[in-house]
Amino acid sequence: MPAVRQQRDADGMAVASFVLGLLGLLVLNLVLGPMAIVLASLALWRSTARRGRAALGLFLGITDLVVLAVLVGADRTVSWGLAG
């Protein structure tokens, strides 16, 4: 049964990376983006059955960091907000 559990863990990591990457677009992208990248990488490395979800989590995690860099560059500050 260890192989089944490892597969289930990898699938859970894929889903978690997707959710964290999606949430990271809205809040805490400096924290959630890297977490999504790490979880997606681990899920792909462990051969998850949800490769698409893991790839999307990886993409969203990277996008979180890009969005943060763009918004910080526009505001010239480490903190940013949506209010003008």
Side-chain angles (χ1 to χ4, degrees):
M1 285 287 199
V4 172
R5 182 174 181 193
Q6 185 178 5
Q7 179 70 36
R8 191 173 48 217
D9 289 347
D11 292 347
M13 284 185 222
V15 172
S17 71
F18 171 72
V19 170
L20 290 175
L22 198 57
L23 285 174
L25 289 174
L26 303 173
V27 294
L28 295 173
N29 42 5
L30 184 61
V31 175
L32 297 179
M35 288 175 62
I37 293 169
V38 168
L39 285 174
S41 300
L42 283 172
L44 290 170
W45 183 68
R46 292 183 180 185
S47 301
T48 181
R50 299 177 184 220
R51 294 187 60 76
R53 186 118 347 131
L56 190 56
L58 183 63
F59 172 76
L60 288 171
I62 293 169
T63 304
D64 290 347
L65 298 178
V66 170
V67 166
L68 177 67
V70 168
L71 291 174
V72 166
D75 284 349
R76 303 262 191 253
T77 180
V78 177
S79 64
W80 61 272
L82 296 177

